[in-house]
Amino acid sequence: MAAISKIATGNGHGENSAYFDGWKAYEINPFHPTDRPDGVIQMGLAENQLCFDFIEKWLMEHPEASICTAEGVSKFKETALFQDYHGIPEFRQAVAKFMGKVRGDRVKFDPDRIVMSGGATGAHEMVAFCLADPGEAFLVPTPYYPGFDRDLRWRTGVELVPVVCDSANDFKITIDSLQSAYHKAQEANIKIKGLLITNPSNPLGTFMDKDTLKNIINFVNEKNIHLIGDEIYAATVFMEPEFVSISEVIEEVECNRDLIHIVYSLSKDMGFPGFRVGIVYSYNDTVTSCARKMSSFGLVSSQTQHLIATMLSNDEFIDNFVAESRERLFKRHKYFTWTLSQIGICSLKSNAGLFIWMDLRKLLKEKTFEAEMDLWRVIIDEVKLNVSPGSSFHCHEPGWFRVCFANMDNYTMEIALSRIRNFMVKNNETMVPPRNKLLRRTSLKLSLSRSLSRKMDDFIMSPSIMSPQSPLVQART
Amino acid sequence: MVAISKIATGNGHGEDSPYFDGWKAYETNPFHPIDRPDGVIQMGLAENQLCFNFIKKWVMEHPEASLCSAEGVNKFKETALFQDYHGMPEFREAVAKFMGKVRGGRVNFDPDRIVMSGGATGAHEMVAFCLADPGEAFLVPTPYYPGFDRDLRWRTGVELVPVVCESSNNFKITRAALEAAYEKAKEANLRVKGLLITNPSNPLGTILDQDTLKGIVKFINEKNIHLIGDEIYAATVFMEPEFVSISEIIEEVECNRDLIHIVYSLSKDMGFPGFRVGIVYSYNDAVVSCARKMSSFGLVSSQTQHLIATMLSDDDFVDSFIVESKEQLLKRHKYFTLSLSQVGIGSLKSNAGLFIWMDLRKLLKAKTFDAEMDLWRVIINEVKLNVSPGSSFHCDEPGWFRVCFANMDDNTMEVALLRITTFMHKHNEAMVPRKLCRRASLKLSLSRRRDDFMSQNMMSPHSPIPQSPLVRART
């Protein structure tokens, strides 16, 4: 057998975890309203599917955004040939402008600091390569996106040290927890090079208040370590308070800007994960220069740069899109969380993201991660929903689940909710009055759909879009 | 000052070499037929610009290839959401079919072995990550594409050991050269994990014959090391003999297929470097599986997958394109090399690629690389052409230059040839007849010959885009 690399034979790709059982169950039997009405509903994928009709309308009105239409083909050749790692200037300008608008124009982004990468996945790896040597580490507050284990560590050799956050204070990042994690690393002889925060948070759906951000900036300056802010959910903040970006806070406090780097992407804010538009925005000139050279390994397709440049330089579209997207996310989130609360399920109070952080601690047989996995298998096999167990996010405490709500149409959402309701009723966990007819499936459905659709109409305005997809293993969950 | 990584502070990116002086000269003063007629002409960029009319015509006739047209927009949402690292099935099937057609249908490629990457740049890095640990090495025959130093080594920590090939036998890869390199690595305590060949060759423009390929396959099996075949110029073979791919050879000789991996891309064959369509095709299941997971770091944009899937599944288009591209390349190559030979400039006999390997050894003041750099600066500053000096390709012998011919229109090609002719005349190196030395009649004489070779379609008035590439993703 010919030897291949240690990287190739190891499992740094992270796909051997039990976490993927849910995915497999979904792949074998994905829900479809007519073909597979009893299939597994995908609620483990943080996609933003709520605004495609809005985007498609814009596309039809702007054929010049494509290099394949009569209006755009004059640019086909120069675009197809364009491989300059600086990126198309209009693309960088449009992305910088969009990033500013998403932050309420409270801060400006310099197009010359926009560096491309292969999605946020590529961006994170690239930042790790630029900032840390093999064996060095980043601090990462828990719970965090499971992909970080692969993106930041696999091919780079960089380590991750968790900053444990507690449900007791809503998983806020405290100075104590930062200091504690830092010292733990020091004791283990691990050199900390930076702190990675995801703001708005995946999986929590919350974002950091100004004071927390200021404290974090003080902390990284004191320790002279880098701060990487993953802000890929910035435009998914659908409710007050307003999102505060690192880029704003550094205008207000003393900070060595050479420490500050932002990872961005259009995968969540716009719903374009397939287009692989990753962005590294660093305030450090050396890092910008190095990252730009590295971007050759994962440039954004010039065809896509052209589309995005055209789209995001249209101010009217952007302003309307950002407002529309927020509204739809708000409605969907409100309906989902309200309906869940009606049947006794709570979640962490959140105002951003494409998911909720569902609290099922009381359903655990015992306060262990084994019990969490048991509950998870029940949710997959009996309730037929693929949700993501908190342990896969390195949550310190069992019983939390991330449940996505923006990756399906209204009808599927309704089915999902009725399944959850059935489950809670069966387990005597719900506060639903024990009326006999509610236990009979048909009338339950009827009653549910009558009451649900009445409630739904209060919240949901857009017509349902029935799209049955079957993602296999995603580049990003 | 805050510490960043060693990778970031080092110069593994390879951009500090004097090689980039030519690029800077071009950027400062790029040629434009009207705005900057005395500007530097770019002949250091291996682009294939000869078939865009052909492609654009197809694009106009197939609006369904775009997600943004009325015919294609119904696929916009599912495509924008598609991030599965397996890639779109239609994309993989179309690419596998294209790869087969480019090899004359002599071999079939399995769509399930098609793995995406961020261009050939990303593909090479990915293969290095899959096959070798930091400190281990690949053998690479010289001269080779300068980007390999960055792509295979920079972030991976893998080393490259040159297999020295010589002009005396037209830079063929000999068994002796392979063994010598392998031994040298052993002596230096470097563990050789594989051999990387580029076939057709960049910068030589030649292809490997069957015997050489068989010899190579035998060598790697004996040493139990991997063979990576970079075949990104496969469709640029414009003349007999026909291209022979590794994929064909392993059907004919004993070979452990777990050792065989192909890197492919649409950047050269189709002229789409901007679309970042890189492909890793491995016969080793473990490598395919690992590479597929790694491809998350550089997937092909689903928008582009859709376009390519539609385009390359059109058999008529593909068959016609391959023929047309070969014809255009043949004409351009023939005209260019003939005109050069008329003024006493020889080049390595080649039948592929987007460039020639020009022999300027006799123009060197001394047989040194310093003299080569001096000559190169003269070419940039006086002749005003950006060409690539052989030393940047790790050529063992000074005096060779890679000169690209497929990245410009006919007018620019003419201006370039005129400048070369003028330069040769000035240096009295050529046997150029007296009357041809006068600029006007020289032009007249050249254009007569040009008509023999160029079809009317090629007389496009538009200039090459005065782009300012700075450092390219791939030269």
Side-chain angles (χ1 to χ4, degrees), chain A residues 154-420:
Chain A
W154 190 19
R155 306 193 304 182
T156 62
V158 170
E159 300 287 346
L160 295 184
V161 174
V163 177
V164 180
C165 300
D166 262 299
S167 60
N169 68 341
D170 290 341
F171 301 94
K172 276 193 167 39
I173 302 171
T174 62
I175 292 295
D176 279 345
S177 55
L178 287 169
Q179 295 282 9
S180 162
Y182 188 86
H183 286 125
K184 213 169 170 182
Q186 266 189 346
E187 277 155 30
N189 251 330
I190 297 173
K191 182 171 182 193
I192 296 292
K193 260 332 216 334
L195 165 65
L196 165 63
I197 60 174
T198 306
N199 181 36
S201 163
N202 173 13
L204 303 176
T206 53
F207 62 79
M208 295 175 203
D209 56 81
K210 235 185 204 179
D211 285 336
T212 306
L213 278 169
K214 284 180 175 173
N215 285 340
I216 283 172
I217 290 192
N218 280 337
F219 175 79
V220 302
N221 276 271
E222 264 170 42
K223 303 283 190 251
N224 197 30
I225 62 175
H226 295 276
L227 178 61
I228 306 135
D230 179 336
E231 299 193 344
I232 69 171
Y233 289 97
T236 68
V237 177
F238 50 77
M239 212 160 64
E240 299 277 287
E242 245 180 355
F243 174 60
V244 181
S245 160
I246 291 173
S247 55
E248 299 170 56
V249 181
I250 62 175
E251 301 290 340
E252 296 183 26
V253 299
E254 279 252 2
C255 179
N256 175 4
R257 290 190 176 210
D258 278 348
L259 300 175
I260 310 297
H261 324 274
I262 293 176
V263 164
Y264 190 58
S265 153
L266 299 183
S267 303
K268 309 299 177 181
D269 282 355
M270 299 221 60
F272 294 163
F275 293 169
R276 315 313 299 150
V277 183
I279 301 291
V280 170
Y281 188 97
S282 175
Y283 290 84
N284 181 318
D285 291 346
T286 311
V287 172
T288 300
S289 172
C290 175
R292 189 180 285 129
K293 294 175 175 66
M294 281 187 184
S295 66
S296 298
F297 297 112
L299 296 172
V300 176
S301 166
S302 54
Q303 176 190 20
T304 300
Q305 287 186 52
H306 177 85
L307 168 66
I308 297 304
T310 316
M311 197 181 276
L312 299 190
S313 56
N314 185 325
D315 287 339
E316 218 185 302
F317 169 76
I318 294 304
D319 294 337
N320 291 338
F321 172 82
V322 171
E324 185 68 23
S325 177
R326 283 188 175 147
E327 209 179 295
R328 295 184 188 188
L329 283 168
F330 171 71
K331 282 191 176 134
R332 179 59 72 88
H333 174 271
K334 196 168 167 190
Y335 177 61
F336 188 47
T337 49
W338 182 84
T339 310
L340 287 174
S341 68
Q342 296 279 301
I343 48 181
I345 293 177
C346 313
S347 54
L348 184 71
K349 187 158 174 288
S350 65
N351 66 332
L354 309 172
F355 33 70
I356 59 167
W357 191 232
M358 192 185 272
D359 182 357
L360 299 181
R361 286 176 292 176
K362 64 189 179 190
L363 296 187
L364 293 183
K365 289 196 173 76
E366 52 184 28
K367 279 191 181 160
T368 64
F369 286 109
E370 283 80 24
E372 178 183 280
M373 291 310 275
D374 288 341
L375 176 56
W376 183 52
R377 286 195 186 90
V378 165
I379 297 174
I380 293 174
D381 299 332
E382 291 181 28
V383 194
K384 299 248 174 71
L385 303 175
N386 182 30
V387 300
S388 312
S391 51
S392 64
F393 294 85
H394 301 277
C395 186
H396 192 57
E397 180 189 16
W400 295 89
F401 290 79
R402 189 192 77 170
V403 185
C404 301
F405 59 74
N407 64 318
M408 61 188 71
D409 57 33
N410 293 339
Y411 180 77
T412 310
M413 168 62 60
E414 216 194 313
I415 301 291
L417 283 166
S418 71
R419 288 181 184 181
I420 296 171

Side-chain angles (χ1 to χ4, degrees), chain A residues 2-8 13 15 47 49 52 55-56 59-60 66-70 73 76-77 80-86 118 121 125 129-133 151 154-155 193 224 226 258-259 271-276 286-287 290 293-294 296-297 299 301-304 307 465 467 469 472-476, chain B residues 2-8 13 15 47 49 52 55-56 59-60 66 68-70 73 76-77 80-85 118 121 125 129-133 151 154-155 191 193 224 226 258-259 271-276 286-287 290 293-294 296-297 299 301-304 307 462 467-474:
Chain A
I4 53 182
S5 69
K6 292 193 177 82
I7 283 178
H13 50 71
E15 291 187 23
E47 281 176 348
Q49 289 196 24
F52 275 102
I55 292 169
E56 284 162 15
L59 285 175
M60 292 290 85
S66 165
I67 54 176
C68 303
T69 56
V73 79
F76 187 91
K77 177 177 169 177
L81 290 169
F82 189 92
Q83 54 173 334
D84 178 0
Y85 60 32
H86 288 80
T121 301
E125 189 191 49
F129 270 125
C130 286
L131 301 183
D133 294 329
D151 301 348
W154 190 19
R155 306 193 304 182
K193 260 332 216 334
N224 197 30
H226 295 276
D258 278 348
L259 300 175
F272 294 163
F275 293 169
R276 315 313 299 150
T286 311
V287 172
C290 175
K293 294 175 175 66
M294 281 187 184
S296 298
F297 297 112
L299 296 172
S301 166
S302 54
Q303 176 190 20
T304 300
L307 168 66
I465 309 149
S467 55
Q469 13 179 13
L472 293 165
V473 182
Q474 305 287 324
R476 186 161 179 118
Chain B
V2 62
I4 52 181
S5 68
K6 293 192 177 81
I7 283 178
H13 50 70
E15 291 188 25
E47 281 176 349
Q49 291 196 22
F52 275 102
I55 292 169
K56 278 155 65 173
V59 166
M60 287 287 82
S66 166
C68 306
S69 62
V73 76
F76 185 87
K77 176 177 169 179
L81 290 168
F82 190 91
Q83 55 173 333
D84 179 358
Y85 60 32
T121 301
E125 189 192 48
F129 270 125
C130 285
L131 301 183
D133 294 328
D151 300 349
W154 190 20
R155 308 193 305 182
R191 182 174 174 196
K193 255 342 211 335
N224 198 29
H226 295 277
D258 277 348
L259 299 174
F272 294 162
F275 293 168
R276 315 313 298 149
V287 172
C290 176
K293 293 176 174 68
M294 282 187 184
S296 298
F297 298 112
L299 296 172
S301 166
S302 54
Q303 176 189 21
T304 301
L307 169 64
H462 57 266
Q467 30 181 352
S468 180
L470 296 171
V471 187
R472 318 296 292 205
R474 185 158 181 121

Side-chain angles (χ1 to χ4, degrees), chain A residues 335 338 414 421 438 444-458:
Chain A
Y335 177 61
W338 182 84
E414 216 194 313
R421 191 187 187 98
L438 276 176
L444 179 66
K445 215 192 227 175
L446 209 68
S447 159
L448 262 176
S449 54
R450 256 206 311 268
S451 64
L452 274 176
S453 59
R454 248 199 327 265
K455 290 177 192 109
M456 218 160 54
D457 288 342
D458 292 339

Side-chain angles (χ1 to χ4, degrees), chain B residues 368-392:
Chain B
T368 65
F369 287 109
D370 289 331
E372 179 182 281
M373 290 310 276
D374 289 341
L375 175 57
W376 182 52
R377 285 195 189 90
V378 166
I379 297 172
I380 292 173
N381 297 322
E382 289 181 30
V383 193
K384 298 252 175 64
L385 303 176
N386 182 30
V387 299
S388 311
S391 51
S392 63

